[in-house]
């Protein structure tokens, strides 16, 4: 992205955009993976190969033409995979039934509702019910497993098959194409169909004359559906081919689907293709497969009730996947190979009579046939969750749960490399130094510390220092008197990771300083071979306080506790130790916390994870936590609330 593109996106940028754990990300091989797995395994994603034109709309002469194309959705290797810790998230619900959980500063590309209706960037905090979010219609990326025949058989068995006994069975109309297909497919595998007439249908038992094996079961096992009960029916998350999915969708709609034709009060023709199943997972897979094939749909949930009586007759709700847009029905008719004659004829008739309907398009209004529009119907807080994100270029867009969404930006470095002007950079700096903006972002000090350490130029240093100071408002204030011991031994100066300029000592110093500055009364101490108190005053900069820490050689935690802990006059109410537990106490000597009364809680943060801890933990008032992240600030109030019966309890 050049300077102009960055300057267009900057007004709507958040502090650290990310998605909640579990968010399904579309992968290039036709599968999905939760966002945490994408980050952990550094997986490629589907992203657009061009930046979308999101410049502010301006009218009048001499305005440059707008770029209307959104480009192609292609496999993309992110330039960064980010674990952003536990943060507050909200659930955004769409008309399609899809849900995405994101942080308040996550970014979205939104179509304007008025005027030229071009694209613009918004954060989650600025989203409103009714906002239009794009969904992809050209995500035709699949794997290579399976063919159309296998797909139809698996889809038909998921619909009207029995797969939990010793022999596979299929139920259907003896005269329709689905039963005829199962007969033909079974014979192709050298197996036998035993037909048992039943009222209104026929029951097919699929057996293998070779007795000790059943080729039909082998197929169902190979595709991961054998033995699945109705409420958990689903396909495995494997790279199935495009042909397999077309066959599977055809089999599912032939068995558990319907084709409807209706007219509104004005006489206008409408139609729909619907597929119903009690398994939410299978409904989501069907909707995803259709969307990858260019067919948007809606998932609706219904309680199953007795006809005409109203009482609920099933403990499992029915999930209905519905395709009802004219262009989508035409596209679906081109794709599917329905074998139930009356359904195939009705769908073909609908497609012919609705073929004149074209997707909304205008050279002025920013539409592109490569995307359709979904609409936000609800936004609600769902609490704190682990969050992750990726950075993709050049579009900064990827597909999460079938919705086009923005990514994390390597903001400051990209600004400088693109040559963003000082005037625009000043607007970014103003947001970072605005206490309300920082509080709204809900970022803890570590985020700003990392940005400060990685800042590419001096024009960002002071704003980031101010932002870090403002972020203290997000750190809980501990009541009473607290002793904070920060390890400054040589082993603490190892870097957190190869890609980070932060070391354990720096993170520990910032954590200790932040807690001390917010606490009602705190003693901040650095320790190594010996120990020294760190002076600070209320309202002082966290970075300035952290700069007073030094390198104190070895580790003698027990000596630091003995020297600074107070149990009588001005007694300490708690002790916090931030260390890597590579100490001369613990494994090599006495427990450094044994001199602290059992009634006084001790909280240890082990930043390196050495095998042997320096003290007992997990019993009574002794607690040890691994690593150090933003969530660390919340743990002490939560643990102490158990005993005080305060909120949350």
């Amino acid at each position: 992205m050049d300077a102009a593109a960055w300057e267009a996106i900057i007004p709507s940028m958040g502090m650290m955009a990310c998605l909640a754990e579990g968010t399904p990300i579309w992968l290039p091989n036709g599968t999905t993976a939760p966002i945490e797995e994408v980050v952990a395994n550094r997986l490629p994603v589907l992203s657009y190969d061009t930046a979308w034109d999101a410049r502010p709309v301006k009218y009048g002469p001499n305005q440059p033409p707008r770029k209307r194309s959104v480009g192609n959705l292609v496999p993309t290797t992110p330039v960064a995979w980010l674990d952003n810790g536990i943060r507050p998230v909200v659930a955004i619900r769409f008309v399609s039934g899809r849900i995405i959980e994101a942080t308040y500063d996550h970014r979205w590309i939104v179509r304007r509702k008025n005027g030229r209706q071009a694209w613009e960037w918004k954060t989650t905090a600025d989203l409103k019910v009714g906002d239009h979010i794009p969904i992809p219609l050209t995500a035709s990326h699949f794997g290579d497993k399976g063919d159309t025949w296998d797909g139809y058989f698996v889809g038909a068995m998921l619909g009207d098959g029995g797969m939990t006994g010793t022999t596979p069975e299929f139920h259907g109309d003896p005269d329709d194409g689905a039963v005829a297909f199962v007969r033909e497919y079974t014979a192709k595998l050298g197996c036998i169909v035993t037909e048992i007439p039943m009222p209104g249908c026929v029951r097919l038992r699929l057996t293998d004359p070779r007795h000790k094996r059943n080729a039909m079961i082998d197929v169902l096992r190979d595709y991961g559906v054998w033995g699945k009960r109705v409420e958990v029916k689903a396909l495995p998350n494997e790279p199935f081919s495009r042909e397999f999915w077309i066959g599977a969708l055809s089999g599912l709609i032939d068995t558990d689907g319907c084709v409807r034709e209706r007219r509104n009060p004005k006489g206008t023709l409408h139609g729909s293709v619907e597929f119903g199943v009690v398994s939410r997972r299978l409904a989501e897979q069907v909707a995803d497969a259709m969307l990858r094939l260019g067919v948007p749909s809606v998932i609706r949930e219904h309680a199953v009730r007795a006809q005409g009586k109203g009482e609920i007759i099933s403990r499992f709700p029915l999930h209905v996947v519905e395709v009802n847009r004219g262009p989508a029905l035409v596209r679906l008719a081109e794709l599917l190979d329905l074998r139930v004659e009356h359904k195939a004829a009705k769908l073909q008739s609908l497609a012919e009579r609705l073929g004149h309907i074209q997707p909304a398009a205008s050279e002025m209004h920013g539409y592109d046939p490569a995307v359709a529009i979904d609409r936000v119907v609800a936004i609600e807080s769902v609490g704190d969750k682990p969050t992750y994100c990726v950075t993709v270029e050049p579009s900064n867009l990827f597909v999460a749960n079938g919705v086009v969404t923005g990514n994390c930006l390597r903001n400051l470095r990209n600004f400088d490399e693109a040559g963003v002007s000082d005037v625009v950079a000043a607007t970014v700096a103003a947001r970072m130094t605005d206490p309300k903006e920082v509080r709204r972002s809900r970022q803890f000090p570590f985020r700003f510390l990392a940005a400060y350490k990685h800042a590419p130029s001096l024009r960002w240093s002071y704003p980031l220092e101010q932002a870090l100071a403002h972020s203290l408002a997000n750190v809980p204030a501990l009541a009473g008197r607290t002793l904070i011991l920060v390890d400054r031994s040589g082993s603490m100066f190892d870097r957190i990771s190869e890609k980070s300029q932060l070391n354990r000592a720096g993170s520990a110093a910032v954590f200790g300083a932040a807690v001390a500055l917010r606490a009602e009364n705190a003693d901040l101490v650095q320790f190594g071979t010996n120990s020294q108190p760190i002076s600070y005053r209320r309202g002082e900069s966290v970075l300035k306080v952290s700069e007073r820490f030094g390198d104190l050689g070895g580790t003698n935690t027990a000596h630091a506790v003995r020297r600074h802990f107070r149990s009588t006059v001005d007694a300490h109410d708690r002790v916090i130790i931030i260390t890597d537990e590579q100490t001369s106490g613990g494994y090599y000597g006495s427990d450094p916390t044994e001199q602290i009364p059992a009634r006084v809680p001790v909280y240890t943060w082990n930043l390196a994870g050495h095998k042997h801890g320096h003290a007992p933990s997990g019993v009574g008032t002794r607690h040890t936590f691994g690593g150090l992240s933003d969530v660390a600030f919340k743990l002490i109030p939560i643990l102490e609330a158990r005993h005080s019966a305060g909120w949350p309890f």
Side-chain angles (χ1 to χ4, degrees), residues 40-54:
N41 298 324
R42 296 177 173 266
L43 300 177
V45 299
L46 285 175
S47 177
Y48 287 91
D49 60 0
T50 184
W52 293 19
D53 192 341

Side-chain angles (χ1 to χ4, degrees), residues 422-466:
D422 287 339
V423 174
V424 176
T427 65
V428 179
R431 292 183 65 189
M432 289 192 288
T433 56
D434 184 344
K436 292 182 180 179
E437 284 286 337
V438 175
R439 187 162 50 249
R440 182 177 178 226
S441 76
R442 306 194 184 191
Q443 297 288 336
F444 285 102
F446 285 124
R447 298 291 167 222
F448 296 108
L449 173 65
Y452 180 85
K453 293 291 186 182
H454 292 81
S457 62
L458 292 177
R459 68 177 176 178
W460 305 114
S461 299
Y462 177 71
L464 285 168
E465 183 177 359
Q466 291 293 101

Side-chain angles (χ1 to χ4, degrees), residues 405-421:
T405 189
N407 67 183
C408 254
L409 298 172
R410 298 180 300 169
N411 301 342
L412 305 183
R413 186 174 302 280
N414 284 341
F415 295 168
D416 286 356
E417 290 177 353
V420 169
S421 69

Side-chain angles (χ1 to χ4, degrees), residues 573-574 597-603 618-623 625 635-649:
D573 296 292
R574 68 186 64 80
R599 60 180 172 77
V600 178
V602 179
Y603 306 97
V619 179
T621 57
R622 301 299 187 258
H623 310 279
F625 311 102
L635 292 176
I636 294 176
I638 291 172
L639 286 168
E640 294 186 354
R642 311 185 296 177
H643 302 288
S644 65
W647 179 263
F649 44 79

Side-chain angles (χ1 to χ4, degrees), residues 152-153 156-157 170 177-187 193 204 206 216:
Y152 190 94
F153 175 67
M157 291 297 290
F170 182 78
V179 167
F181 173 88
V182 173
R183 292 187 186 116
E184 186 177 358
Y185 187 88
T186 305
V193 174
L204 307 183
L206 314 179
M216 310 304 290

Side-chain angles (χ1 to χ4, degrees), residues 44-79:
V45 299
L46 285 175
S47 177
Y48 287 91
D49 60 0
T50 184
W52 293 19
D53 192 341
R55 292 172 296 166
V57 174
K58 295 181 180 179
Y59 296 94
N62 303 319
Q63 296 300 326
R66 297 194 70 85
K67 182 179 179 181
R68 295 183 296 274
S69 173
V70 299
N72 301 307
L73 197 58
V74 298
T76 305
T77 300
V79 296

